[in-house]
Amino acid sequence: MVGFKATDVPPTATVKFLGAGTAACIADLITFPLDTAKVRLQIQGESQGLARTAANTQYRGVLGTILTMVRTEGPRSLYNGLVAGLQRQMSFASVRIGLYDSVKQFYTKGSEHAGIGSRLLAGSTTGALAVAVAQPTDVVKVRFQAQARAGGSRRYQSTVDAYKTIAREEGMRGLWKGTSPNVARNAIVNCAELVTYDLIKDSLLKANLMTDDLPCHFTSAFGAGFCTTVIASPVDVVKTRYMNSAVGQYHSAGHCALTMLRKEGPRAFYKGFLPSFLRLGSWNVVMFVTYEQLKRALMAAYEPREAPF
């Protein structure tokens, strides 16, 4: 057995809720530069000034994007929007991941045998619910990641300034910009991510190919990350473009998607695919492995100690 030993008592909803948020924050800290590179690649090609991509710097590939940002804006630019990102994960992941098992049990009426339909329904529900809670933090995170430090004035000076400026200039609706594509994206991401992880893990355990420890969690998380990237990339690109757009640039998320298709072609929907996969793959591995270990550690800490006789 690698890592913490599984406890006899299953983790409570509170343990899952707190563990998911904490694990997601740890994963974000490690993979945030890849997410920033993904955003820069996704918005590249937009004919608008608000992105301020370092005097229209052209980014090429994941490593090229990261090196260009470090050279033109400094290493700290890779962590633009980190505060909002951590705020987002603590509220967002706690709901969409931490409540997944509870919602799945609700749909299966407590049955231990959950079908694919119940898992998909649970993933869609917690993914959409998480957006309702954390959308403003996602808007601020994307805006920060899109703005460049070099060349021209910056849109926002701090996380608090971003919340205030968006609310003042665009109204409260500005903080909820892109909710529709984000609900769609996160329902898809949650289904692909959690359900795939769930199914791969269950299959490995039932086939006795692995035991319920770190290698199993690592393999399941990596597979979930790849499947999620393939399925969710088009919606993710539209979400990023729409949330970062100037007021009035796009009438809706659908208009944004059609504009991309007309001006840049179908390949635009998979812009930033490699950083998306590197980020989602590594994020899933770090998050799920940490989450599984945190659940066990927290439950072990709460287990009653046997009396010394």
Side-chain angles (χ1 to χ4, degrees), residues 35-239:
D35 192 43
T36 302
K38 177 202 76 173
V39 169
R40 291 294 180 93
L41 285 167
Q42 286 178 338
I43 64 172
Q44 186 166 255
E46 279 188 300
S47 56
Q48 52 103 355
L50 283 176
R52 302 188 193 283
T53 49
N56 297 321
T57 300
Q58 292 296 306
Y59 300 114
R60 296 182 182 279
V62 187
L63 183 60
T65 301
I66 291 173
L67 291 176
T68 300
M69 289 180 64
V70 171
R71 186 178 67 252
T72 59
E73 305 170 49
R76 291 181 60 187
S77 65
L78 296 173
Y79 283 90
N80 272 353
L82 178 62
V83 174
L86 295 179
Q87 291 173 352
R88 173 182 179 269
Q89 291 299 352
M90 202 64 217
S91 54
F92 187 75
S94 297
V95 174
R96 78 176 185 91
I97 299 170
L99 297 182
Y100 171 73
D101 286 334
S102 299
V103 174
K104 183 172 68 175
Q105 288 175 0
F106 171 77
Y107 284 130
T108 58
K109 296 179 171 59
S111 173
E112 292 183 3
H113 304 288
I116 185 69
S118 299
R119 297 180 201 232
L120 289 172
L121 197 55
S124 299
T125 301
T126 57
L129 184 60
V131 173
V133 173
Q135 180 67 8
T137 62
D138 204 12
V139 172
V140 171
K141 179 185 81 77
V142 168
R143 297 280 183 95
F144 256 101
Q145 288 176 312
Q147 75 175 0
R149 291 176 180 271
S153 58
R154 297 173 61 197
R155 293 174 76 182
Y156 313 111
Q157 303 305 315
S158 67
T159 305
V160 174
D161 177 56
Y163 285 114
K164 289 181 178 178
T165 302
I166 294 170
R168 183 176 66 251
E169 295 180 354
E170 304 174 41
M172 291 304 293
R173 291 182 64 182
L175 289 170
W176 299 92
K177 192 172 189 178
T179 298
S180 296
N182 214 13
V183 166
R185 177 202 180 256
N186 283 291
I188 293 170
V189 165
N190 228 34
C191 286
E193 198 172 74
L194 294 178
V195 175
T196 304
Y197 178 83
D198 222 3
L199 290 172
I200 294 174
K201 182 182 171 184
D202 282 354
S203 298
L204 290 172
L205 294 177
K206 287 178 180 177
N208 293 318
L209 295 174
M210 290 183 175
T211 55
D212 192 4
D213 54 15
L214 283 174
C216 176
H217 304 157
F218 180 94
T219 304
S220 303
F222 187 83
F226 180 76
C227 292
T228 303
T229 309
V230 172
I231 295 169
S233 272
V235 183
D236 191 36
V237 174
V238 173
K239 181 212 76 166

